[in-house]
Amino acid sequence: RYALGSILADIEGGGPIALRAGHPVIRSYVHVRDVVDLAFAVMLGVAPAPPGPVDTAGDREIEVGELAQLSAAVLGRPDLPIERPPVVGPADRYVGDGTAFRALARSVGVPLAPLEAQIADTAAYLGIEPAR
């Protein structure tokens, strides 16, 4: 499973949120709707086609421990415990350079979804309701 999906499943199950990585894990997320909106803008000629592949890094990098905390807060469960081995060692940083992606979005007026909205929409897609 992917980090966000696993975190959301643990939240849905009532916790705790279990993270297995004993080292820092840095990621960046982009809403699939934003990717599709920009792809259509290019296909329809509203935006110029990039000269090559474009990384889809968002405007924010986040460590999975913080992602777990943020996800729990977004879903109304900020007090859920997070279980994780001690975090030591070098970071696993899998984040592209989203400069061209963000510039393309700005050029056609596509507002990129903040991470909180991406989490909420992913949870809704998976059928996970926020706590009331």
Side-chain angles (χ1 to χ4, degrees):
R1 293 175 124 181
Y2 293 99
L4 182 56
S6 295
I7 290 167
L8 294 174
D10 287 348
I11 293 169
E12 180 182 35
I17 300 171
L19 302 176
R20 293 186 184 97
H23 56 278
V25 177
I26 311 295
R27 298 292 184 263
S28 183
Y29 294 87
V30 174
H31 201 297
V32 67
R33 181 186 57 236
D34 297 338
V35 174
V36 171
D37 286 349
L38 290 176
F40 271 99
V42 169
M43 289 187 308
L44 295 173
V46 175
V54 175
D55 284 338
T56 58
D59 62 349
R60 175 179 180 181
E61 293 183 13
I62 191 165
E63 204 282 324
V64 294
E66 184 185 353
L67 179 64
Q69 292 172 336
L70 181 61
S71 298
V74 166
L75 293 178
R77 302 291 310 271
D79 298 328
L80 278 181
I82 298 171
E83 294 178 350
R84 184 177 192 180
V87 179
V88 295
D92 174 358
R93 186 177 179 279
Y94 186 62
V95 177
D97 178 358
T99 305
F101 180 79
R102 290 187 298 274
L104 181 62
R106 279 191 304 277
S107 76
V108 293
V110 171
L112 299 178
L115 184 54
E116 293 81 357
Q118 295 175 53
I119 292 166
D121 288 350
T122 301
Y125 173 78
L126 295 173
I128 302 170
E129 296 288 326
R132 297 180 194 264

